[in-house]
Amino acid sequence: MELSEIRPQIDEINKQMLELFQKRMALCREVALYKQEHDMEVFVPAREAAIMQWADTAAEPALRPYVAAFFNTILQLSRDYQNASLGRPAEGSAMVGGTALYTRRLQLLPLNQGDVPPVFSLTSNPEVARYMKFEAHTSPRETEDLIREYTEGNNYACKVLLKDSCEFVGVFAIKVDKSDPEKASVSAFFSPDHWGKGYLAELLELARIKGRELTGAKALWAYIVSENERSNRAVLSAGYQLDSTFRFGDMEESINVYRLELD
């Protein structure tokens, strides 16, 4: 089929999609008003999880990652419009052009405040927080602050999902140094169910290839507790060089500082 035949069909589908999208958003406004009247939260994790699960099941296997990104964006826009309809600020990054990225087994979608519940399920876990800069969270408000820190400025922050099932795996971020924008540090934490599966290696490779484009940084840094053997091995395998080692205060474990120059 020639482009002259294909493009008019795409144009027609675009018109249908726009009409359906506007109808959907009008219904979202009605939902927002109902939630306000009944003192309900705009974000309903169980509802969104059900939609994402349905989309994953209904999609053609080859298109599942793209369908997941499509519906994730629609759900974020729906939350933003509901909040706007109620005179509240939007929650997240769908309005600022966030896009999905992929590794061999993972899909990365922009992190936003709508992700507090799944992220809090990890940040509140002492096992997860053990090797992180933060202590285990006791309130979702702490997780809101962490997401705000991860997503500010030129940082790149994402939620990590399995490409095949859309299961939430964890969080990955490239955070730009405020005092030196040419430097950025990588940070990641995963559900214990997904430890030891090599996902960090895939994310570090993505950061090596895309880090400069995503953040403008010329070098990536990693700060890893010496006892965290898996992460130390992962950054060394990814080409990072040990730069220094230090301790915070009276902490027992030392921190290994690694550096990787970006092309």
Side-chain angles (χ1 to χ4, degrees), residues 204 207-208 218-221 238-241 258-262:
L204 290 173
R208 183 187 67 80
K218 295 183 178 180
L220 295 180
W221 296 74
Y240 286 69
Q241 300 296 317
Y258 297 92
R259 176 188 177 104
L260 176 70
E261 296 291 336
L262 296 177

Side-chain angles (χ1 to χ4, degrees), residues 28-48 79 82-83 85-86 88 91:
C28 285
R29 185 177 187 279
E30 295 300 316
V31 168
L33 297 175
Y34 179 92
K35 289 176 177 177
Q36 182 181 52
E37 183 179 348
H38 293 82
D39 196 27
M40 297 170 63
E41 295 292 332
V42 165
F43 178 53
V44 183
R47 167 66 174 165
E48 294 202 7
R79 290 198 300 270
Q82 288 183 52
N83 280 313
S85 298
L86 301 177
R88 303 171 185 171
E91 293 174 341

Side-chain angles (χ1 to χ4, degrees), residues 199-263:
Y199 295 148
L200 179 57
E202 293 186 30
L203 295 171
L204 290 173
E205 176 63 11
L206 179 72
R208 183 187 67 80
I209 296 170
K210 287 281 193 178
R212 192 163 187 174
E213 175 186 336
L214 292 169
T215 66
K218 295 183 178 180
L220 295 180
W221 296 74
Y223 301 82
I224 302 176
V225 176
S226 58
E227 287 189 356
N228 190 347
E229 296 180 1
R230 285 175 176 166
S231 293
N232 280 281
R233 287 198 302 268
V235 296
L236 287 171
S237 296
Y240 286 69
Q241 300 296 317
L242 181 63
D243 182 83
S244 61
T245 300
F246 69 93
R247 279 187 171 86
F248 279 124
D250 58 355
M251 67 181 294
E252 295 182 5
E253 302 89 354
S254 58
I255 305 294
N256 293 330
V257 182
Y258 297 92
R259 176 188 177 104
L260 176 70
E261 296 291 336
L262 296 177
D263 298 331

Side-chain angles (χ1 to χ4, degrees), residues 129-140:
R130 178 182 176 189
Y131 294 131
M132 299 303 297
K133 184 179 178 181
F134 58 83
E135 296 184 356
H137 291 176
T138 58
S139 164

Side-chain angles (χ1 to χ4, degrees), residues 56-185:
D56 182 66
T57 301
E60 296 180 11
L63 293 177
R64 280 175 181 166
Y66 308 99
V67 170
F70 176 73
F71 274 94
N72 183 272
T73 300
I74 286 178
L75 292 173
Q76 177 65 63
L77 290 170
S78 297
R79 290 198 300 270
D80 287 348
Y81 187 58
Q82 288 183 52
N83 280 313
S85 298
L86 301 177
R88 303 171 185 171
E91 293 174 341
S93 58
M95 296 295 287
V96 295
T99 57
L101 294 175
Y102 302 92
T103 69
R104 181 170 62 87
R105 295 175 294 173
L106 305 171
Q107 58 177 311
L108 285 63
L109 299 175
L111 188 68
N112 58 69
Q113 291 295 338
D115 299 315
V116 167
V119 177
F120 179 64
S121 72
L122 301 187
T123 56
S124 60
N125 186 334
E127 284 189 87
V128 174
R130 178 182 176 189
Y131 294 131
M132 299 303 297
K133 184 179 178 181
F134 58 83
E135 296 184 356
H137 291 176
T138 58
S139 164
R141 182 61 61 85
E142 294 175 278
T143 302
E144 290 178 13
D145 292 340
L146 182 69
I147 291 176
R148 190 173 298 110
E149 174 193 335
Y150 275 23
T151 57
E152 68 182 0
N154 290 330
N155 294 348
Y156 171 77
C158 63
K159 54 196 166 216
V160 181
L161 310 176
L162 293 183
K163 187 186 290 185
D164 292 338
S165 66
C166 300
E167 179 183 354
F168 177 74
V169 170
V171 170
F172 179 68
I174 307 174
K175 299 179 291 183
V176 177
D177 190 318
K178 293 180 180 179
S179 62
D180 184 355
E182 293 190 351
K183 295 173 54 178
S185 61

